Amino acid sequence: MIEVKNVTKIYNKKNAFTALDNINLTIPSNTSVAILGKSGSGKSTLMHAISGLDKPQKGQVLVDGEDILRLKPRATDRFRASKMAFIFQSFFVEGGESCYSNVSLSLETAGVPVRKRKKLIEQALQSVDLGDKIKSRAKDLSGGQKQRLAIARAIVGEPEILFADEPTGNLDSVTSKVIEDLLFDYQKKNRATLIIVTHDEELASRCNTVINIKDGKIVSQSTEESKK
Ligand code: ADP
C-alpha cells in the first residue's frame, strides 16, 4: 500500500513554484490507478514523489509502511529497485544493445546471479511477444516493439509497483492498445499496483481508480469497484 500524506513540492527557491500542493492519497495493493491531468498539472512530479525519484519539501510517502522520504539516497535506490519499475513515453532502451542485453541489465542491477538470468529474460521477452527478437538490436525495432522491450525490462524482476508515464504517448492507437493490454495483464496476473500517468482520458478510464490533478492539487478521485 502507498500512502501519500500532506506532500508539498516547491520548485525554485527564488521564484517559488508550488508543483504539488498538500497532496493526500492512498493507493492499495493489487489495483490500477491513473493520475490524470493536463500538461504541467504536476503528474510527473507526483509520480517522482511516490517513487522516491524526487524529494518533496513536506510530507510523507509511506510504501508498505516505510517512509521513503526519510531514507538515505542509497537506501532509497535499493528500496525502489526491490519493489518498483518504470516505463516512460520515450521508451528508454539501449539502442546498440540486443533485446536480451536490455532485459539483462535490469537483472544485473537487481543483483540476480548470471545463471538465473537466461530463463527469466526469455520468459519476459516471450510475454511481450518479442521471443523471436532476442538477438535483435533495440534500435532496429519499431516504436511499439521498443515499448514492449521496455515493458519486458520493467517486469522481468516482477515489481510490486509498476509506474508508466505516458506509456502510449508516442504510439498509434492500435499499438497503444497492445501496450495497454500488456500493462493491465501484468497488473492482474501479478496482483501488482499499476500507476499510469496520463492526459489520455480513455486510457485512464481503464484503471480501477482515476485521480484528477490540476495545478498541483487533487481535484477529484473516482474508484469503480465493478472494474476490479
Ligand atoms: P505534468 O507531468 O503534469 O506535465 P510536471 O509534474 O512535469 O507536470 O510539472 C508540474 C509543474 O512544475 C509545471 O509547471 C512545470 O513547469 C514545473 N516543473 C517541473 N519540473 C520542474 C523543475 N525541475 N524546475 C522548475 N519547475 C518545474
Side-chain angles (χ1 to χ4, degrees):
M1 181 163 83
I2 300 168
E3 296 160 274
V4 176
K5 297 185 178 175
N6 306 110
V7 161
T8 293
K9 170 74 191 180
I10 299 167
Y11 285 116
N12 296 339
K13 279 192 185 134
K14 274 189 190 162
N15 293 322
F17 177 79
T18 305
L20 295 178
D21 189 358
N22 201 35
I23 297 277
N24 285 283
L25 177 63
T26 300
I27 299 174
S29 307
N30 185 19
T31 195
S32 55
V33 176
I35 299 173
L36 178 68
K38 293 199 175 131
S39 180
S41 55
K43 304 184 295 297
S44 301
T45 305
L46 179 57
M47 185 189 102
H48 291 163
I50 295 174
S51 56
L53 286 171
D54 192 14
K55 298 220 168 178
Q57 286 82 357
K58 252 185 65 191
Q60 285 182 307
V61 176
L62 304 173
V63 179
D64 297 335
E66 180 84 64
D67 184 352
I68 60 168
L69 301 183
R70 287 175 161 262
L71 294 174
K72 297 224 166 77
R74 215 184 272 170
T76 314
D77 292 346
R78 265 202 306 272
F79 187 79
R80 188 187 311 113
S82 72
K83 282 192 189 280
M84 302 175 181
F86 299 83
I87 293 153
F88 297 96
Q89 177 171 359
S90 46
F91 313 140
F92 278 131
V93 291
E94 299 290 335
E97 300 286 337
S98 67
C99 290
Y100 187 94
S101 299
N102 265 277
V103 180
S104 184
L105 269 176
S106 67
L107 292 180
E108 280 169 39
T109 313
V112 177
V114 176
R115 67 192 149 76
K116 288 196 177 161
R117 285 184 205 157
K118 188 166 182 277
K119 196 166 168 223
L120 293 172
I121 295 166
E122 286 171 355
Q123 281 171 350
L125 285 168
Q126 276 157 14
S127 75
V128 299
D129 208 15
L130 285 177
D132 58 341
K133 299 280 183 196
I134 282 183
K135 291 182 180 161
S136 303
R137 280 200 290 185
K139 69 176 177 190
D140 296 329
L141 302 177
S142 68
Q145 288 171 330
K146 280 185 190 139
Q147 195 61 310
R148 280 191 271 144
L149 175 58
I151 292 175
R153 198 181 49 190
I155 65 176
V156 68
E158 302 201 331
E160 288 166 40
I161 305 168
L162 184 58
F163 290 95
D165 191 349
E166 301 283 7
T168 56
N170 277 333
L171 300 170
D172 64 80
S173 56
V174 174
T175 313
S176 295
K177 172 82 168 45
V178 173
I179 296 297
E180 289 174 17
D181 288 349
L182 285 172
L183 296 175
F184 288 107
D185 285 351
Y186 176 80
Q187 186 274 312
K188 290 197 189 95
K189 243 185 233 159
N190 289 270
R191 304 178 64 78
T193 304
L194 172 64
I195 300 178
I196 301 181
V197 166
T198 186
H199 64 274
D200 177 347
E201 291 189 24
E202 218 171 298
L203 168 55
S205 71
R206 292 189 65 181
C207 292
N208 299 131
T209 297
V210 180
I211 294 163
N212 274 282
I213 176 164
K214 191 179 173 193
D215 299 332
K217 291 193 176 92
I218 293 176
V219 288
S220 68
Q221 182 170 338
S222 55
T223 300
E224 277 195 39
E225 287 301 320
S226 57
K227 279 189 185 166
K228 276 193 180 170

